[in-house]
Amino acid sequence: MSTYTVIGGGIAGASIAYHLAKTGNSVTVFDRSDNGQATSASAGIICPWVSQRRNKKWYRLVQEGARYYPDFIQELEETTKQATGYKRSGAICLFKDERIQQLAYERISAKQDGSPEMGDVRKLTKAEVKEMHPHLTDSYPAVFVEGGGQIRGESLLSALKEGIHLHGGKWIQQDLNPEEEKGTVIYTAGAWAGEYYDVPLVRHQRAELLHLKLEDESHSKETPVVMGLGPMYIVGTDSNQFAIGTTHEDTEDFSIAPSRENQQYLYNEAKRYFPETTIRNQFMAVGLRPFTRDSLPYIGWTDDHVFAVNGLGSSGLTAGPVIGREVAAYLAGKDTVLNLDDYAYL
């Protein structure tokens, strides 16, 4: 048995702590529950196969993350008896015309051989989009990815915290006193990483989401997540309730006060995608997303007793669980599926 001190209880820290605790290690998590934690604010889309990013190391990470999700969630929910909000209801990816739809279909479906977990991939007409998601505009054709899903960040963290306790770990909701460091330090402080250690260098963005309710309740079926045009996405959060986002704002401060300008922007986007239904504003969620060099997560040693994980950005909820599995195996000297040297680039 080894001893670990985890600093930061976002998705990376919680997942690493859970996987370490369930294999019999002594684990203590210190988490301040800072407002703006990216995990809690995120919409939680699990659909990495549609990304156009060309960074192969990043894609291997999120691809393995999506592959691991169903088994991971089943085990976690059975262990803790808590729901995580994980659903695989598919993803509708909208495109402005049929030509771009065809190119996207070819690009996405080409990944099926390496990722059978993504399921069926097919083109949707505008009418089929409307049938699948009655509230949604019928202005755009789409590609449907059967394996796309979503997770509730707050619910997942709650289940992980319970799992850590059940496996004998500790979760202390306060800042770390350096005298309380024991064993190996796992440093996963997200956007706040510079407070204890300045390696790796971490920057962050404010990301805002608008949570809204649709007045028309004639359609209440469960709907797929929607990948809109550009950076927009829409995720169902409850019956006729959705979150739409996101904004991307580089910043050096830690304010999580919602921006009226961004709220209006997202409200206008919501009217674009839900043109036939009255929209009721509910609230804005603001998260601070951490990024490291080249927007590639850092996973590796930064000192002789400090192992850092940071920079998960917008893919944190996709990659976090599998990072927990892989880091726990690596620290135990066991084989890993991913080559973690790809992410230890200091």
mmCIF file of all heavy atoms in Angstrom, residues 132-167:
data_model
loop_
_atom_site.group_PDB
_atom_site.id
_atom_site.type_symbol
_atom_site.label_atom_id
_atom_site.label_comp_id
_atom_site.label_asym_id
_atom_site.label_seq_id
_atom_site.Cartn_x
_atom_site.Cartn_y
_atom_site.Cartn_z
ATOM 1 N N MET A 132 -36.332 13.624 -34.582
ATOM 2 C CA MET A 132 -35.524 13.129 -33.474
ATOM 3 C C MET A 132 -35.490 14.115 -32.310
ATOM 4 O O MET A 132 -35.429 13.727 -31.142
ATOM 5 C CB MET A 132 -34.102 12.842 -33.973
ATOM 6 C CG MET A 132 -33.213 12.151 -32.969
ATOM 7 S SD MET A 132 -31.624 11.660 -33.707
ATOM 8 C CE MET A 132 -32.142 10.283 -34.755
ATOM 9 N N HIS A 133 -35.535 15.415 -32.630
ATOM 10 C CA HIS A 133 -35.466 16.461 -31.601
ATOM 11 C C HIS A 133 -36.543 17.494 -31.933
ATOM 12 O O HIS A 133 -36.275 18.498 -32.591
ATOM 13 C CB HIS A 133 -34.081 17.111 -31.625
ATOM 14 C CG HIS A 133 -33.725 17.858 -30.379
ATOM 15 N ND1 HIS A 133 -34.571 18.773 -29.773
ATOM 16 C CD2 HIS A 133 -32.596 17.842 -29.611
ATOM 17 C CE1 HIS A 133 -33.974 19.289 -28.707
ATOM 18 N NE2 HIS A 133 -32.782 18.744 -28.590
ATOM 19 N N PRO A 134 -37.799 17.279 -31.494
ATOM 20 C CA PRO A 134 -38.933 18.104 -31.944
ATOM 21 C C PRO A 134 -38.789 19.598 -31.693
ATOM 22 O O PRO A 134 -39.353 20.409 -32.438
ATOM 23 C CB PRO A 134 -40.115 17.518 -31.157
ATOM 24 C CG PRO A 134 -39.710 16.112 -30.868
ATOM 25 C CD PRO A 134 -38.231 16.162 -30.641
ATOM 26 N N HIS A 135 -38.065 19.993 -30.655
ATOM 27 C CA HIS A 135 -37.925 21.416 -30.368
ATOM 28 C C HIS A 135 -36.937 22.096 -31.317
ATOM 29 O O HIS A 135 -36.968 23.318 -31.480
ATOM 30 C CB HIS A 135 -37.420 21.621 -28.933
ATOM 31 C CG HIS A 135 -38.431 21.293 -27.882
ATOM 32 N ND1 HIS A 135 -39.647 21.923 -27.789
ATOM 33 C CD2 HIS A 135 -38.390 20.393 -26.860
ATOM 34 C CE1 HIS A 135 -40.316 21.444 -26.753
ATOM 35 N NE2 HIS A 135 -39.584 20.508 -26.181
ATOM 36 N N LEU A 136 -36.062 21.329 -31.913
ATOM 37 C CA LEU A 136 -34.929 21.881 -32.638
ATOM 38 C C LEU A 136 -35.330 22.414 -34.013
ATOM 39 O O LEU A 136 -36.270 21.915 -34.646
ATOM 40 C CB LEU A 136 -33.865 20.789 -32.793
ATOM 41 C CG LEU A 136 -32.438 21.212 -33.133
ATOM 42 C CD1 LEU A 136 -31.852 22.101 -32.050
ATOM 43 C CD2 LEU A 136 -31.557 19.970 -33.324
ATOM 44 N N THR A 137 -34.595 23.415 -34.497
ATOM 45 C CA THR A 137 -34.819 23.949 -35.830
ATOM 46 C C THR A 137 -34.654 22.861 -36.895
ATOM 47 O O THR A 137 -33.870 21.926 -36.715
ATOM 48 C CB THR A 137 -33.831 25.096 -36.123
ATOM 49 O OG1 THR A 137 -34.045 25.569 -37.447
ATOM 50 C CG2 THR A 137 -32.386 24.631 -35.999
ATOM 51 N N ASP A 138 -35.368 23.025 -38.006
ATOM 52 C CA ASP A 138 -35.202 22.107 -39.131
ATOM 53 C C ASP A 138 -34.463 22.810 -40.282
ATOM 54 O O ASP A 138 -34.652 22.480 -41.446
ATOM 55 C CB ASP A 138 -36.550 21.567 -39.608
ATOM 56 C CG ASP A 138 -37.501 22.676 -40.054
ATOM 57 O OD1 ASP A 138 -37.116 23.860 -39.982
ATOM 58 O OD2 ASP A 138 -38.625 22.352 -40.474
ATOM 59 N N SER A 139 -33.608 23.757 -39.933
ATOM 60 C CA SER A 139 -32.894 24.534 -40.948
ATOM 61 C C SER A 139 -31.630 23.853 -41.451
ATOM 62 O O SER A 139 -31.072 24.272 -42.471
ATOM 63 C CB SER A 139 -32.511 25.912 -40.380
ATOM 64 O OG SER A 139 -33.657 26.646 -40.031
ATOM 65 N N TYR A 140 -31.168 22.806 -40.750
ATOM 66 C CA TYR A 140 -29.864 22.238 -41.089
ATOM 67 C C TYR A 140 -29.922 20.717 -41.187
ATOM 68 O O TYR A 140 -30.595 20.057 -40.380
ATOM 69 C CB TYR A 140 -28.836 22.614 -40.011
ATOM 70 C CG TYR A 140 -28.801 24.085 -39.694
ATOM 71 C CD1 TYR A 140 -29.343 24.567 -38.498
ATOM 72 C CD2 TYR A 140 -28.244 24.996 -40.574
ATOM 73 C CE1 TYR A 140 -29.316 25.920 -38.180
ATOM 74 C CE2 TYR A 140 -28.213 26.356 -40.278
ATOM 75 C CZ TYR A 140 -28.745 26.813 -39.085
ATOM 76 O OH TYR A 140 -28.720 28.152 -38.791
ATOM 77 N N PRO A 141 -29.169 20.158 -42.134
ATOM 78 C CA PRO A 141 -28.988 18.700 -42.153
ATOM 79 C C PRO A 141 -27.993 18.315 -41.055
ATOM 80 O O PRO A 141 -27.323 19.180 -40.474
ATOM 81 C CB PRO A 141 -28.409 18.442 -43.548
ATOM 82 C CG PRO A 141 -27.632 19.688 -43.850
ATOM 83 C CD PRO A 141 -28.420 20.819 -43.236
ATOM 84 N N ALA A 142 -27.882 17.025 -40.796
ATOM 85 C CA ALA A 142 -27.049 16.609 -39.665
ATOM 86 C C ALA A 142 -26.427 15.246 -39.906
ATOM 87 O O ALA A 142 -26.821 14.501 -40.812
ATOM 88 C CB ALA A 142 -27.882 16.579 -38.387
ATOM 89 N N VAL A 143 -25.466 14.922 -39.057
ATOM 90 C CA VAL A 143 -24.913 13.580 -38.940
ATOM 91 C C VAL A 143 -25.224 13.108 -37.528
ATOM 92 O O VAL A 143 -24.993 13.837 -36.554
ATOM 93 C CB VAL A 143 -23.396 13.560 -39.197
ATOM 94 C CG1 VAL A 143 -22.822 12.168 -38.896
ATOM 95 C CG2 VAL A 143 -23.088 13.965 -40.639
ATOM 96 N N PHE A 144 -25.772 11.912 -37.410
ATOM 97 C CA PHE A 144 -26.115 11.352 -36.108
ATOM 98 C C PHE A 144 -25.075 10.324 -35.703
ATOM 99 O O PHE A 144 -24.731 9.427 -36.487
ATOM 100 C CB PHE A 144 -27.496 10.697 -36.147
ATOM 101 C CG PHE A 144 -27.903 10.079 -34.834
ATOM 102 C CD1 PHE A 144 -28.219 10.874 -33.749
ATOM 103 C CD2 PHE A 144 -27.965 8.700 -34.690
ATOM 104 C CE1 PHE A 144 -28.593 10.314 -32.527
ATOM 105 C CE2 PHE A 144 -28.338 8.123 -33.488
ATOM 106 C CZ PHE A 144 -28.656 8.932 -32.408
ATOM 107 N N VAL A 145 -24.551 10.458 -34.473
ATOM 108 C CA VAL A 145 -23.580 9.514 -33.925
ATOM 109 C C VAL A 145 -24.236 8.809 -32.745
ATOM 110 O O VAL A 145 -24.497 9.420 -31.703
ATOM 111 C CB VAL A 145 -22.291 10.229 -33.485
ATOM 112 C CG1 VAL A 145 -21.285 9.214 -32.950
ATOM 113 C CG2 VAL A 145 -21.687 11.017 -34.648
ATOM 114 N N GLU A 146 -24.508 7.537 -32.922
ATOM 115 C CA GLU A 146 -25.303 6.776 -31.952
ATOM 116 C C GLU A 146 -24.668 6.729 -30.567
ATOM 117 O O GLU A 146 -25.356 6.782 -29.546
ATOM 118 C CB GLU A 146 -25.505 5.360 -32.469
ATOM 119 C CG GLU A 146 -26.359 4.474 -31.579
ATOM 120 C CD GLU A 146 -26.442 3.049 -32.104
ATOM 121 O OE1 GLU A 146 -25.460 2.573 -32.716
ATOM 122 O OE2 GLU A 146 -27.494 2.424 -31.910
ATOM 123 N N GLY A 147 -23.341 6.627 -30.490
ATOM 124 C CA GLY A 147 -22.670 6.444 -29.204
ATOM 125 C C GLY A 147 -22.452 7.708 -28.412
ATOM 126 O O GLY A 147 -21.934 7.667 -27.291
ATOM 127 N N GLY A 148 -22.849 8.862 -28.956
ATOM 128 C CA GLY A 148 -22.674 10.118 -28.230
ATOM 129 C C GLY A 148 -23.488 10.131 -26.947
ATOM 130 O O GLY A 148 -24.576 9.561 -26.870
ATOM 131 N N GLY A 149 -22.950 10.775 -25.928
ATOM 132 C CA GLY A 149 -23.655 10.788 -24.653
ATOM 133 C C GLY A 149 -23.356 12.017 -23.841
ATOM 134 O O GLY A 149 -22.720 12.966 -24.306
ATOM 135 N N GLN A 150 -23.823 11.996 -22.603
ATOM 136 C CA GLN A 150 -23.614 13.121 -21.701
ATOM 137 C C GLN A 150 -23.515 12.622 -20.268
ATOM 138 O O GLN A 150 -23.934 11.510 -19.934
ATOM 139 C CB GLN A 150 -24.769 14.123 -21.819
ATOM 140 C CG GLN A 150 -26.104 13.589 -21.341
ATOM 141 C CD GLN A 150 -27.229 14.576 -21.542
ATOM 142 O OE1 GLN A 150 -27.883 14.579 -22.578
ATOM 143 N NE2 GLN A 150 -27.472 15.438 -20.550
ATOM 144 N N ILE A 151 -22.934 13.479 -19.419
ATOM 145 C CA ILE A 151 -22.753 13.165 -18.005
ATOM 146 C C ILE A 151 -22.988 14.445 -17.212
ATOM 147 O O ILE A 151 -22.687 15.537 -17.684
ATOM 148 C CB ILE A 151 -21.323 12.618 -17.745
ATOM 149 C CG1 ILE A 151 -21.131 12.195 -16.285
ATOM 150 C CG2 ILE A 151 -20.266 13.637 -18.140
ATOM 151 C CD1 ILE A 151 -21.743 10.867 -15.955
ATOM 152 N N ARG A 152 -23.565 14.321 -16.034
ATOM 153 C CA ARG A 152 -23.718 15.484 -15.152
ATOM 154 C C ARG A 152 -22.464 15.600 -14.290
ATOM 155 O O ARG A 152 -22.197 14.731 -13.453
ATOM 156 C CB ARG A 152 -24.945 15.331 -14.261
ATOM 157 C CG ARG A 152 -26.272 15.436 -14.993
ATOM 158 C CD ARG A 152 -27.419 15.299 -14.008
ATOM 159 N NE ARG A 152 -28.706 15.347 -14.659
ATOM 160 C CZ ARG A 152 -29.425 16.445 -14.852
ATOM 161 N NH1 ARG A 152 -28.932 17.605 -14.432
ATOM 162 N NH2 ARG A 152 -30.605 16.405 -15.445
ATOM 163 N N GLY A 153 -21.719 16.671 -14.475
ATOM 164 C CA GLY A 153 -20.456 16.819 -13.762
ATOM 165 C C GLY A 153 -20.606 16.774 -12.258
ATOM 166 O O GLY A 153 -19.857 16.072 -11.558
ATOM 167 N N GLU A 154 -21.576 17.512 -11.714
ATOM 168 C CA GLU A 154 -21.757 17.544 -10.260
ATOM 169 C C GLU A 154 -22.143 16.174 -9.717
ATOM 170 O O GLU A 154 -21.661 15.745 -8.662
ATOM 171 C CB GLU A 154 -22.822 18.573 -9.888
ATOM 172 C CG GLU A 154 -22.345 20.015 -9.997
ATOM 173 C CD GLU A 154 -23.371 21.007 -9.476
ATOM 174 O OE1 GLU A 154 -24.574 20.800 -9.758
ATOM 175 O OE2 GLU A 154 -22.968 21.968 -8.803
ATOM 176 N N SER A 155 -23.016 15.467 -10.434
ATOM 177 C CA SER A 155 -23.437 14.138 -9.984
ATOM 178 C C SER A 155 -22.287 13.146 -10.030
ATOM 179 O O SER A 155 -22.140 12.297 -9.145
ATOM 180 C CB SER A 155 -24.600 13.644 -10.847
ATOM 181 O OG SER A 155 -25.711 14.495 -10.747
ATOM 182 N N LEU A 156 -21.461 13.251 -11.065
ATOM 183 C CA LEU A 156 -20.305 12.363 -11.172
ATOM 184 C C LEU A 156 -19.332 12.617 -10.028
ATOM 185 O O LEU A 156 -18.822 11.668 -9.408
ATOM 186 C CB LEU A 156 -19.616 12.569 -12.520
ATOM 187 C CG LEU A 156 -18.328 11.765 -12.752
ATOM 188 C CD1 LEU A 156 -18.569 10.271 -12.580
ATOM 189 C CD2 LEU A 156 -17.760 12.062 -14.136
ATOM 190 N N LEU A 157 -19.072 13.885 -9.716
ATOM 191 C CA LEU A 157 -18.167 14.190 -8.600
ATOM 192 C C LEU A 157 -18.717 13.673 -7.277
ATOM 193 O O LEU A 157 -17.974 13.152 -6.443
ATOM 194 C CB LEU A 157 -17.938 15.697 -8.505
ATOM 195 C CG LEU A 157 -16.934 16.316 -9.466
ATOM 196 C CD1 LEU A 157 -16.798 17.801 -9.190
ATOM 197 C CD2 LEU A 157 -15.571 15.645 -9.360
ATOM 198 N N SER A 158 -20.024 13.808 -7.081
ATOM 199 C CA SER A 158 -20.631 13.319 -5.848
ATOM 200 C C SER A 158 -20.460 11.810 -5.711
ATOM 201 O O SER A 158 -20.133 11.300 -4.634
ATOM 202 C CB SER A 158 -22.117 13.683 -5.828
ATOM 203 O OG SER A 158 -22.753 13.152 -4.677
ATOM 204 N N ALA A 159 -20.653 11.085 -6.821
ATOM 205 C CA ALA A 159 -20.490 9.628 -6.788
ATOM 206 C C ALA A 159 -19.035 9.246 -6.555
ATOM 207 O O ALA A 159 -18.738 8.306 -5.801
ATOM 208 C CB ALA A 159 -21.002 9.018 -8.088
ATOM 209 N N LEU A 160 -18.109 9.952 -7.187
ATOM 210 C CA LEU A 160 -16.691 9.658 -6.980
ATOM 211 C C LEU A 160 -16.287 9.898 -5.521
ATOM 212 O O LEU A 160 -15.538 9.114 -4.929
ATOM 213 C CB LEU A 160 -15.828 10.505 -7.913
ATOM 214 C CG LEU A 160 -15.771 10.053 -9.370
ATOM 215 C CD1 LEU A 160 -15.136 11.128 -10.244
ATOM 216 C CD2 LEU A 160 -15.006 8.741 -9.513
ATOM 217 N N LYS A 161 -16.791 10.987 -4.965
ATOM 218 C CA LYS A 161 -16.484 11.285 -3.564
ATOM 219 C C LYS A 161 -16.991 10.180 -2.647
ATOM 220 O O LYS A 161 -16.279 9.723 -1.744
ATOM 221 C CB LYS A 161 -17.123 12.623 -3.184
ATOM 222 C CG LYS A 161 -16.784 13.115 -1.793
ATOM 223 C CD LYS A 161 -17.397 14.498 -1.571
ATOM 224 C CE LYS A 161 -17.091 15.031 -0.180
ATOM 225 N NZ LYS A 161 -17.676 16.392 0.030
ATOM 226 N N GLU A 162 -18.211 9.698 -2.918
ATOM 227 C CA GLU A 162 -18.757 8.597 -2.125
ATOM 228 C C GLU A 162 -17.936 7.330 -2.328
ATOM 229 O O GLU A 162 -17.660 6.584 -1.373
ATOM 230 C CB GLU A 162 -20.216 8.354 -2.518
ATOM 231 C CG GLU A 162 -20.881 7.162 -1.837
ATOM 232 C CD GLU A 162 -21.046 7.333 -0.340
ATOM 233 O OE1 GLU A 162 -20.838 8.450 0.180
ATOM 234 O OE2 GLU A 162 -21.392 6.331 0.323
ATOM 235 N N GLY A 163 -17.528 7.069 -3.565
ATOM 236 C CA GLY A 163 -16.703 5.899 -3.835
ATOM 237 C C GLY A 163 -15.375 5.942 -3.118
ATOM 238 O O GLY A 163 -14.878 4.908 -2.625
ATOM 239 N N ILE A 164 -14.775 7.122 -3.052
ATOM 240 C CA ILE A 164 -13.507 7.275 -2.327
ATOM 241 C C ILE A 164 -13.700 6.934 -0.856
ATOM 242 O O ILE A 164 -12.899 6.192 -0.262
ATOM 243 C CB ILE A 164 -12.971 8.714 -2.500
ATOM 244 C CG1 ILE A 164 -12.524 8.941 -3.951
ATOM 245 C CG2 ILE A 164 -11.817 8.998 -1.537
ATOM 246 C CD1 ILE A 164 -12.307 10.388 -4.316
ATOM 247 N N HIS A 165 -14.782 7.450 -0.270
ATOM 248 C CA HIS A 165 -15.065 7.139 1.137
ATOM 249 C C HIS A 165 -15.285 5.646 1.347
ATOM 250 O O HIS A 165 -14.764 5.045 2.304
ATOM 251 C CB HIS A 165 -16.305 7.913 1.601
ATOM 252 C CG HIS A 165 -16.056 9.357 1.863
ATOM 253 N ND1 HIS A 165 -16.965 10.348 1.565
ATOM 254 C CD2 HIS A 165 -14.987 10.002 2.391
ATOM 255 C CE1 HIS A 165 -16.474 11.527 1.916
ATOM 256 N NE2 HIS A 165 -15.272 11.345 2.394
ATOM 257 N N LEU A 166 -16.066 5.024 0.455
ATOM 258 C CA LEU A 166 -16.370 3.599 0.602
ATOM 259 C C LEU A 166 -15.127 2.734 0.500
ATOM 260 O O LEU A 166 -15.065 1.645 1.101
ATOM 261 C CB LEU A 166 -17.392 3.173 -0.456
ATOM 262 C CG LEU A 166 -18.814 3.723 -0.287
ATOM 263 C CD1 LEU A 166 -19.675 3.368 -1.492
ATOM 264 C CD2 LEU A 166 -19.447 3.171 0.998
ATOM 265 N N HIS A 167 -14.132 3.192 -0.249
ATOM 266 C CA HIS A 167 -12.885 2.441 -0.392
ATOM 267 C C HIS A 167 -11.827 2.867 0.620
ATOM 268 O O HIS A 167 -10.654 2.498 0.486
ATOM 269 C CB HIS A 167 -12.338 2.595 -1.809
ATOM 270 C CG HIS A 167 -13.137 1.860 -2.847
ATOM 271 N ND1 HIS A 167 -13.313 0.487 -2.823
ATOM 272 C CD2 HIS A 167 -13.820 2.310 -3.943
ATOM 273 C CE1 HIS A 167 -14.052 0.121 -3.871
ATOM 274 N NE2 HIS A 167 -14.374 1.190 -4.549
#
